[in-house]
Amino acid sequence: MSEANPAFAAIDHATAQAHEASSHWAASTASERARLLRGLADVLEQNATALIALANDESALGEPRLTGELARTAFQLRGFASAAEAGVPYLQIDDAAAPGAPPAGRPRLTLVQVPLGPVAMFSASNFPFAFSVLGGDTASALAAGCPVIVKAHSGHPALSRKVFELAVAVVAQQGLPVGVLTLVEGASREAGAYLVRHPNIAAVAFTGSYQGGVALWRVANERPRPIPFFGELGSINPLVVLPGALANGVAEVAKSLAGSIALGCGQFCTSPGLILVFDDADGRSFTAALADALSTQSPHRMLTDSIRYGFDHAVGKMASHAAVRSLIEMREPRELHEAGDDSCAGPWPRLFEVEAAAFIANSDLHEEMFGPAALVVKVRSVAEVLQVLQAVEGSLTVTLWGVQQNTADNLALIRAAEQIAGRVLFGGVPTGVAVTRAQQHGGPWPASTQPQTTSVGYGALARFLRPVALQDAPDWLIAAKRGGTLS
């Protein structure tokens, strides 16, 4: 099959290279891994001007946003280098032997971490640097000792090729096997499924749509030997506005929230898409202010035609629902309308409103509108808020405004948020994910396929390590495993 399909043949070649490099990279020392990761960060920064211009041509995300994203990408590469040097991938738990009969007596047991092997990394459309060729998934897998096969995203192919070209030069300069980092292209789902199904692949990291992610997740689980699939599939990110949060007025908080909804044309997995507002005088004023603030936002064009189609379909479906009221009047596209071509126009922001009972009863209202749009849910009690959150199921984030006091209601809201989200915010907006040790970017299904793991932050490398208990192992082996010097 691969001989008749160039994309499949390229996948065969890349995975063979990764398989060949796997043992070498698994046995690499902390200093070797750190040197590579820092070299990759350096080459990004050395070529920042050209790379940002290229990324902007393909994505229209804007140079300020892309400049910050490239800086974040270099920062997290260096952060994973430091994690490797700190011994995180080489951590051991050593239980000394104890004399006597079980259960008190026991052999010596040493728990070590073993790299999974080659990781297929699916780049995301909305982060051309931070979730792409040298993004967090690549950095964390390399730090864990796993070769990476990057599946380039069709939304920024030229940038992906250029970043990869710079990266492989670093790999070569450091005398590492070419299979430590490879790249494949091919926009078809068949090519993606072929990569996931390939016997040389040991794990998959994916950031993208729910539909595409679920299809690949099924492939990973239907293999003769199923493999871990670490998928981030999207989220509607509820934001709860309690009455106390509006005590000092509605204008500024509405403006802040509108900016978050429209940030990056709403193409963030953490964009607040569900706003729970109490149906009282302040709540109604806040909703009106939010609609006004959002209507003045000017989102740029979306990343791809398919994303724009998906957004238009989602908001059209929402607008046509009998229980839903539109709060922002739909207008004609603002750009290129005279030329009869709306494909490059930024979409108008949209805001909708629905009663809590209708939202709870209609699962089709729970779907993500990936773009500058949100749904306001009118609630009348904390009990109703809890019912809405329960209906949401899994989410990357839940934001709670106004729970500063220790009350029974606030504790109930916090517990409900913890049950459905990987990150709970008590102020601000959910867009913006800090790269730290304490970060958790993942949530219960359908937000992610592995809610006990994170795809952002230094805990991400744990995804690509498997625990192995060594019983009565010789001291030389334990020492070699601890330093990553086993060859």
Side-chain angles (χ1 to χ4, degrees):
M1 181 185 298
S2 63
E3 293 180 358
N5 188 314
F8 289 7
I11 289 170
D12 286 341
H13 181 65
T15 56
Q17 289 180 314
H19 177 72
E20 185 176 347
S22 187
S23 295
H24 176 95
W25 194 240
S28 60
T29 65
S31 60
E32 288 175 312
R33 297 181 193 179
R35 185 166 59 251
L36 173 60
L37 291 164
R38 290 199 176 100
L40 296 174
D42 290 344
V43 80
L44 274 181
E45 291 177 335
Q46 291 161 4
N47 294 272
T49 301
L51 292 175
I52 290 166
L54 183 55
N56 194 41
D57 286 344
E58 291 190 308
S59 70
L61 289 173
E63 290 190 3
R65 149 74 194 275
L66 292 165
T67 298
E69 189 184 329
L70 186 145
R72 166 189 166 169
T73 306
F75 174 85
Q76 65 190 11
L77 282 163
R78 294 192 177 101
F80 280 109
S82 297
E85 289 176 327
V88 174
Y90 310 100
L91 289 178
Q92 297 180 1
I93 299 174
D94 194 76
D95 288 333
R106 64 181 185 230
R108 181 188 183 187
L109 285 168
T110 306
L111 190 69
V112 300
Q113 306 296 319
V114 175
L116 294 180
V119 173
M121 194 289 292
F122 284 74
S123 298
S125 61
N126 55 338
F127 283 90
F129 292 113
F131 280 85
S132 189
V133 177
L134 295 181
D137 288 336
T138 296
S140 56
L142 290 175
C146 299
V148 176
I149 301 96
V150 174
K151 176 67 162 57
H153 196 279
S154 58
H156 36 82
L159 177 68
S160 298
R161 294 184 200 111
K162 183 59 180 178
V163 172
F164 179 69
E165 175 188 318
L166 296 169
V168 295
V170 175
V171 171
Q173 289 165 5
Q174 297 189 7
L176 298 173
V178 293
V180 167
L181 184 65
T182 55
L183 179 138
V184 297
E185 298 186 73
S188 71
R189 289 197 174 182
E190 291 78 13
Y194 186 81
L195 176 59
V196 172
R197 195 179 294 118
H198 203 285
N200 285 335
I201 296 299
V204 180
F206 173 90
T207 301
S209 70
Y210 173 82
Q211 293 79 8
V214 168
L216 294 175
W217 170 78
R218 288 181 175 139
V219 172
N221 284 281
E222 290 167 357
R223 288 170 39 131
R225 290 182 61 188
I227 57 174
F229 186 92
F230 301 103
E232 189 228 283
L233 310 180
S235 180
I236 59 173
N237 304 298
L239 188 149
V240 180
V241 184
L242 294 174
L246 304 178
N248 295 323
V250 302
E252 288 304 313
V253 287
K255 181 179 178 182
S256 173
L257 181 55
S260 180
I261 293 169
L263 184 66
C265 199
Q267 297 166 119
F268 281 81
C269 52
T270 54
S271 182
L274 189 71
I275 319 300
L276 284 68
V277 181
F278 277 69
D279 189 17
D280 55 24
D282 283 346
R284 289 188 286 274
S285 294
F286 172 78
T287 300
L290 177 61
D292 287 343
L294 190 58
S295 67
T296 64
Q297 299 289 318
S298 300
H300 52 70
R301 70 172 170 86
M302 304 196 84
L303 291 160
T304 67
D305 290 343
S306 62
I307 290 175
R308 176 61 188 268
Y309 173 82
F311 176 73
D312 289 343
H313 176 77
V315 297
K317 183 178 178 181
M318 184 68 71
S320 65
H321 198 286
V324 172
R325 184 166 71 96
S326 179
L327 299 179
I328 296 178
E329 181 182 355
M330 184 64 180
R331 287 169 279 180
E332 290 296 315
R334 293 159 295 182
E335 303 171 36
L336 305 181
H337 181 64
E338 296 80 2
D341 178 9
D342 299 333
S343 62
C344 294
W348 283 108
R350 304 301 303 275
L351 189 67
F352 303 96
E353 185 178 66
V354 69
E355 299 285 342
F359 176 85
I360 294 166
N362 292 276
S363 61
D364 52 337
L365 298 180
H366 306 173
E367 297 176 7
E368 180 183 19
M369 295 179 287
F370 190 69
L375 174 64
V376 173
V377 178
K378 296 166 63 176
V379 295
R380 292 174 175 80
S381 66
V382 168
E384 214 166 40
V385 174
L386 296 174
Q387 292 172 357
V388 171
L389 292 179
Q390 186 177 22
V392 168
E393 297 180 337
S395 182
L396 294 171
T397 72
V398 170
T399 303
L400 302 174
W401 283 359
V403 296
Q404 273 62 42
Q405 302 302 314
N406 184 356
T407 68
D409 280 347
N410 287 348
L411 285 172
L413 288 169
I414 292 167
R415 292 191 185 102
E418 291 174 340
Q419 288 298 307
I420 68 166
R423 179 164 57 110
V424 180
L425 294 82
F426 298 93
V429 291
T431 42
V433 186
V435 182
T436 70
R437 289 189 299 167
Q439 186 59 268
Q440 175 59 32
H441 190 63
W445 186 279
S448 65
T449 60
Q450 301 273 0
Q452 71 277 21
T453 69
T454 181
S455 64
V456 178
Y458 303 120
L461 68 79
R463 295 173 296 170
F464 308 115
L465 296 167
R466 180 174 61 85
V468 175
L470 305 178
Q471 183 167 321
D472 290 330
D475 289 341
W476 67 263
L477 177 60
I478 302 301
K481 288 281 188 181
R482 187 180 303 118
T485 57
L486 190 65
S487 59

